[in-house]
Amino acid sequence: MKVLIADDEKLARLRLKSLLNELNEDIQIVAEAENGRVALQKWQQTGADILLLDIRMPDMDGLDVARELARTQSPPAIIFTTAYDEHALQAFDANAVDYLLKPIRKDRLLNALQKAQVFNRAKWDRLMQWLPERPVRSHLCVQVQADLHLIPVKDIVFFQADQKYVIIKTLQKAYLLDESLKALEDEFSGLFIRIHRNALVSLLHIEELEKKPDGQLLVKCQGTDESLVVSRRLAAKVRTCFKEFKRNKAPLR
């Protein structure tokens, strides 16, 4: 089995490597990662069967990594590693998800690896039901050729539907995201506003609203020459939300 170790503490990674090497099992340590973003990239590069995944890590924590992996066609098995109190993790057992409490014991690691070998899609589905909902993501994960990129939501100027994908537009670049515009609208309702059936614009990035002689409303965004058309049906709502956002100087909720 191919194993990827993800933990922001070097000593924790070294201990796991040492324990894995002591086990009399067919184990290949294919990569290490110091944060969630690197863990996703290394998993994509190595195709690891099992991730030993720390819950608390910078950039993306282990729970967010699990959410991103769940979107893939053939996700790996997950074993969470954590210093959390055991009582707080009883929900893991109820949902057939394994975890290792630090300091990790060799016999417990072996048992978790054996369970992980039958970590199937049904167990992934139960895991996703158990994981607590996030109010909003701080980053979006997109694939660019062979790499995974994390895009800070605060840097996104607008989302625009393009056939079965959504275009993410930042000031520097455009990316393709395999998510629906409706789901993004629901998740980021306090930060983005729908201006058209195919577009959401960041309230943080709107510079001004411009009304053309024919009555058509346009959105001009800071740092870009692009002007986005506001549908006539949504024009009044866009004006109201933009004025309230500017007045409050904070995202609408």
Side-chain angles (χ1 to χ4, degrees):
M1 67 188 84
K2 295 189 293 184
V3 176
L4 189 157
I5 300 171
D7 198 304
D8 61 322
E9 296 182 4
K10 185 175 181 179
L11 288 178
R13 298 198 304 272
L14 288 172
R15 174 166 175 77
L16 278 172
K17 287 173 64 177
S18 176
L19 290 174
L20 288 169
N21 288 328
E22 291 176 17
L23 294 176
N24 186 23
E25 298 289 321
D26 182 20
I27 296 171
Q28 179 186 4
I29 302 171
V30 294
E32 297 179 44
E34 66 274 16
N35 59 52
R37 176 181 57 80
V38 174
L40 285 172
Q41 292 174 336
K42 292 291 182 68
W43 173 75
Q44 188 182 46
Q45 293 165 5
T46 63
D49 305 305
I50 298 172
L51 263 68
L52 292 169
L53 189 60
D54 188 25
I55 288 181
R56 287 183 172 173
M57 292 186 293
D59 280 353
M60 295 179 72
D61 66 22
L63 302 182
D64 282 337
V65 171
R67 291 186 182 89
E68 292 298 333
L69 289 171
R71 300 174 186 273
T72 65
Q73 187 173 0
S74 301
I78 291 289
I79 300 171
F80 287 114
T81 63
T82 178
Y84 286 179
D85 179 75
E86 186 171 4
H87 178 73
L89 288 172
Q90 289 179 351
F92 281 108
D93 285 333
N95 291 279
V97 177
D98 213 344
Y99 64 92
L100 297 170
L101 283 172
K102 299 176 180 179
I104 295 167
R105 304 192 318 269
K106 183 165 65 173
D107 61 336
R108 185 69 181 87
L109 174 59
L110 177 59
N111 180 259
L113 290 170
Q114 291 170 341
K115 289 174 64 176
Q117 292 182 62
V118 291
F119 197 99
N120 56 25
R121 170 54 74 176
K123 293 181 179 180
W124 261 108
D125 292 341
R126 288 196 290 273
L127 169 58
M128 288 303 101
Q129 292 173 9
W130 176 83
L131 289 182
E133 289 290 333
R134 297 287 197 196
V136 293
R137 286 171 284 179
S138 61
H139 294 72
L140 295 184
C141 184
V142 300
Q143 185 167 331
V144 180
Q145 296 179 347
D147 295 324
L148 291 171
H149 288 232
L150 284 180
I151 305 171
V153 172
K154 64 181 178 59
D155 292 346
I156 298 172
V157 179
F158 62 82
F159 297 107
Q160 194 164 41
D162 181 24
Q163 298 181 19
K164 67 174 183 176
Y165 293 99
V166 168
I167 296 172
I168 297 176
K169 184 67 171 66
T170 68
L171 292 178
Q172 292 78 30
K173 197 171 180 180
Y175 304 86
L176 288 181
L177 180 68
D178 189 12
E179 295 187 33
S180 74
L181 200 65
K182 179 62 170 64
L184 293 168
E185 180 182 21
D186 291 342
E187 181 175 359
F188 301 111
S189 60
L191 301 171
F192 290 78
I193 184 170
R194 185 179 286 271
I195 64 165
H196 197 277
R197 62 181 176 81
N198 70 345
L200 305 173
V201 177
S202 168
L203 287 162
L204 290 169
H205 290 273
I206 296 178
E207 183 174 9
E208 64 175 339
L209 303 179
E210 178 185 348
K211 187 175 182 180
K212 297 174 66 177
D214 63 359
Q216 181 70 66
L217 191 65
L218 300 177
V219 169
K220 298 189 70 175
C221 296
Q222 299 170 1
T224 176
D225 295 331
E226 294 188 66
S227 294
L228 302 173
V229 174
V230 180
S231 74
R232 296 185 186 276
R233 179 177 63 85
L234 294 172
K237 180 180 178 181
V238 171
R239 287 194 189 94
T240 300
C241 288
F242 180 58
K243 289 178 181 177
E244 185 173 347
F245 179 80
K246 286 296 187 183
R247 181 169 61 249
N248 295 336
K249 300 293 185 183
L252 301 173
R253 293 292 179 190

